[in-house]
Amino acid sequence: MLADKRILLIIGGGIAAYKALDLIRRLQDRGAHVIPVLTRAGEQFVTPLSVSALAGTAVHRDLFDLTSEAEMGHIQLSRSADLVVVVPATADLMGKMAQGLANDLASTLLLATDTPVLVAPAMNVRMWQHPATRRNVETLTADGVSFVGPTEGRMACGEFGPGRLAEVEDIVAAISAKLSEGPLLGKRILVTSGPTHEPIDPVRYIANRSSGAQGAAMARALRDLGAEVVFITGPASVRPPEGVQVVMVETAAQMSQAVEAALPVVAGVFAAAVSDWRVVNASDRKLKKSKDGLPVMQFAENPDILKRVSQMGKGRPQLVVGFAAETNDVIENATAKRLRKGCDWIVANDVSPATGIMGGSENAVVLISDQGAEVWPRMSKDSVARQLAERMAAALAQ
Ligand code: CTP
């Protein structure tokens, strides 16, 4: 819920501006008070009348508006909210923000504010990928600005790729996360997720059937309780959640490095299905069928990320949660695994094909801790994640 939260919504000039109208509605449904600001370019896409009618309040448009200045100066306006949200954030607006320009109402508010800022970019693929935009995103991130999206898809200009405005519900989730007052507020938690790919040659790899669904659900549930989530994911088939810091990796070695880089954290959830082995003699050329027989692959063991973090001594997260994918003797194997790895909890599940769990939307887990094994009923992966996140919040509060 966003009851009584004040959100200053800056609507930029892009075709996706119409989605800002839907966003106003959804934020109000959650009890938020939306103060709309429309840029000159934004007015080309949505009218001031529709914005103010939906918001139920006047829309701010001019830097030198005498009435507005007399009633509430732009400096005060920029600080009157709990969060400033820019939807859609155009390349131009982000450029101004990164440069500290203030030549219209929106850019002046963004420069004058002392409130957290969340931007939802939307622009043509090439514009998003242009080095200038890349630099601006980097600068804004370093300045503490949060991002939601863009996502990939077909765009109004007919091109395909990253640059689409995030879905409105994801923008709402990111706003809720920024304003969350949940029990994990301000706690940094890392989540690993998805499979890893271990190359055999440039076109082939070893992988597993993990979809990344349980890891993504964990990241969303922790985010919804207010945690600052670092989500380190292998090539999963589900989309990474919005409102979390996403680090994409391919191999176990890269995942291990990304985890090191994310430390310190108060808690770690290791939901990734990490490949136990990599091919040490992976070829840098595509392997060809040859008369000399079949290729011979040599394997080496990958770093055990969970074990390393669990046993790191100084700087160890307060709570380390592993997952155990088993196909038989689930409780016995997972109990032994908890001790072997040195983690605090193991969430064990039976992934034998008959259960339909791997790649499916449901999970039946056993939570193993120093208190023994607790069998949970079969439920959706989202419910498992929510309950686990609540248990983690309770454990971290002690
Ligand atoms: N894990 C990890 N790094 C690895 C292997 C596993 O961090 N190289 C983590 C997984 O993310 C999971 C837990 O360890 O949280 C258990 O993974 P699982 O594949 O069930 O266990 P393994 O260690 O691979 O043991 P085994 O293959 O013997 O079942």
Side-chain angles (χ1 to χ4, degrees), residues 61-385:
R61 298 155 61 197
D62 282 312
L63 184 54
F64 302 112
D65 180 328
L66 276 183
T67 331
S68 293
E69 282 305 303
E71 284 169 2
M72 186 192 229
H74 59 256
I75 302 285
Q76 208 184 332
L77 178 62
S78 77
R79 298 181 186 167
S80 63
D82 298 300
L83 183 68
V84 178
V85 181
V86 189
V87 178
T90 59
D92 177 67
L93 200 43
M94 283 170 44
K96 282 183 184 167
M97 289 171 75
Q99 293 301 314
L101 298 183
N103 58 358
D104 59 10
L105 180 60
S107 53
T108 303
L109 294 176
L110 286 159
L111 194 62
T113 193
D114 57 2
T115 306
V117 178
L118 173 74
V119 301
M123 66 194 71
N124 167 274
V125 184
R126 299 269 170 275
M127 290 169 82
W128 175 250
Q129 289 170 338
H130 194 283
T133 308
R134 304 281 88 233
R135 281 196 300 277
N136 291 337
V137 170
E138 216 171 283
T139 305
L140 292 172
T141 308
D143 289 348
V145 170
S146 306
F147 283 80
V148 49
T151 59
E152 271 198 19
R154 206 174 66 78
M155 321 234 287
C157 56
E159 287 183 45
F160 187 92
R164 260 170 71 104
L165 186 75
E167 296 301 329
V168 174
E169 66 186 71
D170 289 328
I171 300 177
V172 174
I175 291 172
S176 305
K178 289 287 301 175
L179 292 173
S180 169
E181 285 164 356
L184 294 175
L185 193 65
K187 297 211 189 294
R188 190 174 151 87
I189 299 182
L190 86 79
V191 177
T192 69
S193 182
T196 63
H197 284 183
E198 308 298 330
I200 295 171
D201 69 14
V203 296
R204 304 181 179 93
Y205 54 82
I206 296 173
N208 59 65
R209 293 185 199 279
S210 164
S211 64
Q214 188 62 79
M218 266 323 291
R220 269 195 304 276
L222 292 164
R223 172 202 70 189
D224 290 347
L225 294 184
E228 184 194 319
V229 178
V230 186
F231 182 68
I232 301 170
T233 177
S237 54
V238 301
R239 264 194 319 135
E242 296 292 348
V244 304
Q245 187 192 329
V246 180
V247 184
M248 297 214 185
V249 296
E250 199 175 314
T251 63
Q254 289 165 357
M255 185 173 276
S256 179
Q257 274 169 16
V259 167
E260 292 284 325
L263 297 173
V265 292
V266 289
V269 178
F270 296 82
V274 185
S275 168
D276 288 327
W277 312 283
R278 66 179 179 281
V279 182
V280 269
N281 59 340
S283 167
D284 54 7
R285 291 188 179 186
K286 187 180 167 212
L287 296 176
K288 295 292 207 186
K289 288 192 283 293
S290 86
K291 290 189 289 298
D292 307 331
L294 298 171
V296 177
M297 277 179 248
Q298 280 162 17
F299 288 93
E301 206 167 309
N302 271 329
D304 190 324
I305 308 167
L306 173 65
K307 189 169 176 184
R308 198 182 275 180
V309 173
S310 298
Q311 302 184 5
M312 67 188 278
K314 191 163 169 277
R316 180 191 191 275
Q318 229 174 298
L319 183 62
V320 180
V321 182
F323 276 69
E326 306 290 345
T327 51
N328 54 284
D329 305 313
V330 176
I331 294 182
E332 202 183 323
N333 282 337
T335 302
K337 200 171 272 180
R338 187 182 88 84
L339 294 175
R340 202 165 64 235
K341 305 258 188 183
C343 57
D344 302 296
W345 300 349
I346 280 261
V347 184
N349 54 10
D350 183 347
V351 292
S352 41
T355 64
I357 283 173
M358 206 148 200
S361 62
E362 292 194 329
N363 210 348
V365 306
V366 183
L367 178 62
I368 293 167
S369 66
D370 59 358
Q371 306 294 309
E374 196 183 301
V375 182
W376 290 12
R378 189 172 172 124
M379 58 182 105
S380 71
K381 288 184 176 171
D382 281 334
S383 301
V384 169

